[in-house]
Amino acid sequence: MDNTFLSVKDLEVIYTSGKKIVRAVNGVSFSLQRGETLALVGETGAGKTSIAKAIMRILPNPPGKIVGGVVELEGENLLEKSEAEMLEIRGERIAMIFQDPMTALNPLMTVGDQIVEGLRLHNDLTFAEAKKRAEEMLEQVGIPAVRFVEYPFEFSGGMRQRVVIAMALACNPDLLLADEPTTALDVTIQAQVLNLIKSLRQKYGTSMILISHDLGVVAQTCDSVAIVYAGQIMEYGTKRHVFKNPCHPYTRGLFNSLPSMNSDSDRLKPIEGTLPDPTNLPDGCPFHPRCPRATQECKIGVIEPVKVEPGHICRCIHAGAEKSVEDSKRIHSGEV
Amino acid sequence: MAPLIEVKNLKKFFKVPAGTLYAVDNVSFTINKGETVGVVGESGCGKSTLGRTIIRLLDATDGQILLEGDDITHVTGKKLKAVREKMQIIFQDPYSSLNPRQRIITTVKEPLARSGRFPRSVINEETERLMDMVGIDARLRQSYPHELDGGRRQRVGIARALALNPQFVVCDEPVSSLDVSIQAQVLNLLMDLQEQMGVAYMFVTHDLSVVRHISDSICVMYLGQIVEKSPAKELFSMPLHPYTKALLSAIPSTNIDEVMQQVELKGELTSPINPKPGCRFAPRCPYAREECEQPQELQEIAPDHFAACWRVKEIG
């Protein structure tokens, strides 16, 4: 076996809402080496957070349910663990940083006590020992230890996110799930928080799955990238593969939608249309209604991932074989 | 000719239990017809308050707002209503800025009906035209806001703001809550409408790449004050103020070969309540000296390019 640390295979998550079924995650597979950072990139409702919550087994059930797949952490399938076993794993081996630091903290507990709580749950520590460790963690994330006794409302947004990071890293987890850790923060604070996560990860050798919609943040933090759309990974590869040679029309569309910091083009090139209704995903490729290169074959069956180059996978039948734009125009206008 | 909007030494203070909050402190700038002025800054810097004060949603504490040369700072009653037809706002959050119990067509129709200028037949025709203009399909026009996605809701907000053909629209983070693919659609729409109608925008945002794309000139705000004012492209090629430099360097680049040369700022925004005189950025500024405790004025460093920092030439 290679030294795969986390492996997710054919993960499927659904949410039931009345009689409707929302297919949030549809057969997602990826793997992660020790110390590696993988980015899950996608727009609202793409299923990124559902993937992370499924790995942690913290999907609210009902309505959420894992209906298929395997999540292996060092060879053990987490989906077969009992809740009691998961309690051991959560916080100690896998920790999560939530998007919104305002709601991720308990407003009625001092931040110090919240860090101590997790520490004592997983380690055989006295309060004094745990407090010492919690104070060290606060200092590590740049918060003076004297603020141990303060409540979340006494901290600013950036500071609260640091507290959440301190809490997540206190038990020295092997895997960190960071769900949009900087989306709620201003850019200068974002830069501080990203640097902090980076240096702490290097120190402890933590692997990380970073969920983000910000391609800039991804470019500066991750090793490999998975582009998620409608619960499927559309493109997956190293950062260099995806950023230098984006193959999927959706990935290209995302890059083209960004206002450039260097060019002077007057108009942006948005992806036309809107995200598909998750209760009623189109057949075939879920992106085909918005895709400039869609052909008849895209509208039927299951589109299988294609290997574009070693380690670079793209779920598009047109990847690799470059077809001219004229072709797809003719097809759209019904000439073919 | 007088500029469309002229803001002179505008101040907006709020009384809070801890003292006075200096949300907008001595801000001056002008906006010409059909032009876009971007206002950037981090949360809490007063950029939204500035926009809302200019269009008279908030009353200024001091200073002047001129619309085509007329002082509108204190107008009331019928005059205020006339002014409001010329100045509109698009809000950040298309989820909370539309009435959830009103069909979107009614929302767009409302300003036309309220103006009292049009007979009913014209109102209906005009409403349909506005919906066409912002690209809302006929089949969706009877929907309620919750039935639409964020991008379409924001289009409704835009149609409502432009209904009475205003000359000036404050766009308060209009694309911040939208996904990138939708964000690009809405930005293109705003730019197309500007071309067609000649409306001027004040574009408030924290997203620097968006503001670079859409603006003719940009004001950078820090704790209620403008610290730098520049033509849009030049701000990025030649930032002058240490805060602007830090802000630009903090944007993560999508170019993976580019090593970020970050000016990391220490600490966070200081409190806008009872600030000390002098440069408000000084506590975080890597170039701060004792002289920074003196108040800083905007000075013209290059043509149309102003910065409020006495060391600006030195630190180049």
Side-chain angles (χ1 to χ4, degrees), chain B residues 142-296:
Chain B
Q142 298 294 332
S143 312
Y144 288 95
H146 75 264
E147 297 173 281
L148 305 179
D149 59 75
R152 291 211 181 88
R153 270 184 249 196
Q154 201 54 294
R155 287 171 194 266
V156 175
I158 293 170
R160 173 176 64 183
L162 296 178
L164 291 171
N165 215 345
Q167 291 170 299
F168 175 60
V169 175
V170 172
C171 307
D172 190 359
E173 308 248 16
V175 294
S176 304
S177 64
L178 305 177
D179 281 312
V180 278
S181 71
I182 308 298
Q183 170 180 312
Q185 292 175 6
V186 172
L187 286 176
N188 277 347
L189 174 68
L190 284 169
M191 291 175 84
D192 290 345
L193 292 173
Q194 180 170 51
E195 211 160 278
Q196 288 164 28
M197 306 173 59
V199 54
Y201 294 137
M202 174 175 153
F203 203 94
V204 176
T205 183
H206 66 274
D207 187 326
L208 290 144
S209 57
V210 166
V211 84
R212 178 186 188 276
H213 181 78
I214 201 163
S215 308
D216 298 303
S217 62
I218 298 177
C219 301
V220 180
M221 272 186 91
Y222 190 81
L223 286 181
Q225 296 177 327
I226 292 181
V227 294
E228 186 161 357
K229 197 156 62 168
S230 155
K233 302 291 185 300
E234 194 175 309
L235 185 81
F236 290 81
S237 57
M238 195 180 80
L240 293 175
H241 196 280
Y243 176 62
T244 314
K245 289 183 181 187
L247 199 61
L248 294 183
S249 79
I251 314 169
S253 164
T254 50
N255 182 353
I256 57 171
D257 293 326
E258 199 172 296
V259 181
M260 284 176 73
Q261 305 229 320
Q262 253 178 45
V263 187
E264 197 176 321
L265 290 180
K266 299 279 171 276
E268 309 188 7
L269 246 66
T270 41
S271 167
I273 300 167
N274 303 333
K276 291 193 192 111
C279 175
R280 289 186 189 163
F281 181 59
R284 298 174 78 190
C285 181
Y287 306 100
R289 291 280 186 280
E290 246 174 51
E291 288 88 334
C292 297
E293 285 167 23
Q294 302 302 318
Q296 302 292 318

Side-chain angles (χ1 to χ4, degrees), chain A residues 43-44 156 159 186 188 190 192 195 216 219-220 240 243-244 260-261 263-264 266-268 270-271 273 290, chain B residues 42-43 179-181 184-185 188 192 209 212-213 233 236 252-254 256-257 260 262 264-265 267-268:
Chain A
E43 298 178 278
T44 317
S156 67
M159 294 278 243
D186 284 314
T188 57
Q190 164 172 291
Q192 291 173 1
N195 284 342
Q220 300 300 329
R240 187 154 294 278
F243 277 75
K244 289 290 175 186
S260 162
M261 292 298 276
S263 89
D264 286 330
D266 277 348
R267 277 185 75 83
L268 298 170
I271 304 174
R290 303 175 75 186
Chain B
E42 296 179 279
S43 41
D179 281 312
V180 278
S181 71
Q185 292 175 6
N188 277 347
D192 290 345
S209 57
R212 178 186 188 276
H213 181 78
K233 302 291 185 300
F236 290 81
S253 164
T254 50
I256 57 171
D257 293 326
M260 284 176 73
Q262 253 178 45
E264 197 176 321
L265 290 180
E268 309 188 7

Side-chain angles (χ1 to χ4, degrees), chain A residues 52-332:
Chain A
K53 286 188 171 172
I55 294 171
M56 271 283 242
R57 292 262 311 274
I58 52 169
L59 278 171
N61 180 16
K65 201 175 172 199
I66 302 168
V67 289
V70 178
V71 176
E72 280 180 354
L73 185 71
E74 294 182 304
E76 295 171 64
N77 187 355
L78 295 183
L79 302 186
E80 286 167 357
K81 298 271 180 200
S82 69
E83 186 56 32
E85 287 171 311
M86 278 314 291
L87 280 176
E88 293 285 310
I89 291 168
R90 271 183 224 130
E92 189 169 347
R93 295 180 63 196
I94 311 179
M96 189 151 174
I97 300 174
F98 293 92
Q99 171 169 2
D100 185 359
M102 317 290 163
T103 53
L105 294 169
N106 182 343
L108 298 177
M109 257 173 115
T110 66
V111 298
D113 284 345
Q114 296 188 50
I115 302 174
V116 165
E117 187 184 29
L119 276 166
R120 294 193 70 193
L121 207 60
H122 294 291
N123 304 288
D124 191 15
L125 296 177
T126 63
F127 181 83
E129 287 165 339
K131 183 178 179 206
K132 190 163 169 284
R133 170 94 181 117
E135 284 174 344
E136 278 168 27
M137 283 314 296
L138 284 176
E139 293 277 356
Q140 289 243 349
V141 297
I143 296 175
V146 291
R147 302 194 68 176
F148 182 90
V149 292
E150 291 186 14
Y151 289 89
F153 75 86
E154 295 172 271
F155 291 82
S156 67
M159 294 278 243
R160 275 180 236 182
Q161 196 59 297
R162 287 157 195 262
V163 172
V164 174
I165 291 169
M167 203 186 293
L169 292 173
C171 290
N172 212 346
D174 300 319
L175 173 64
L176 188 61
L177 303 175
D179 186 1
E180 309 251 13
T182 57
T183 306
L185 308 176
D186 284 314
V187 278
T188 57
I189 310 297
Q190 164 172 291
Q192 291 173 1
V193 169
L194 289 177
N195 284 342
L196 173 70
I197 294 179
K198 203 175 200 170
S199 65
L200 291 176
R201 276 189 50 242
Q202 274 162 358
K203 196 166 164 191
Y204 297 113
T206 317
S207 313
M208 177 165 84
I209 296 178
L210 175 82
I211 295 174
S212 182
H213 64 272
D214 186 328
L215 290 161
V217 169
V218 171
Q220 300 300 329
T221 9
C222 296
D223 305 310
S224 45
V225 180
I227 307 283
V228 186
Y229 186 80
Q232 292 184 350
I233 292 182
M234 301 312 247
E235 185 160 1
Y236 178 45
T238 63
K239 175 168 74 182
R240 187 154 294 278
H241 288 145
V242 176
F243 277 75
K244 289 290 175 186
N245 181 24
C247 290
H248 199 283
Y250 176 61
T251 316
R252 292 186 184 174
L254 277 185
F255 280 111
N256 285 337
S257 304
L258 294 176
S260 162
M261 292 298 276
N262 313 310
S263 89
D264 286 330
S265 73
D266 277 348
R267 277 185 75 83
L268 298 170
K269 298 183 207 74
I271 304 174
E272 295 303 326
T274 53
L275 287 157
D277 174 3
T279 62
N280 185 18
L281 289 178
D283 284 339
C285 171
F287 186 60
H288 84 250
R290 303 175 75 186
C291 182
R293 298 172 74 185
T295 58
Q296 275 307 327
E297 300 101 291
C298 298
K299 296 176 187 169
I300 37 171
V302 177
I303 310 297
E304 293 296 337
V306 185
K307 196 177 249 180
V308 194
E309 54 193 312
H312 185 182
I313 291 164
C314 177
R315 200 185 277 268
C316 177
I317 51 179
H318 301 299
E322 285 288 336
K323 285 198 176 170
S324 72
V325 181
E326 267 58 47
D327 268 2
S328 63
K329 269 190 193 150
R330 277 195 301 137
I331 289 148
H332 268 298

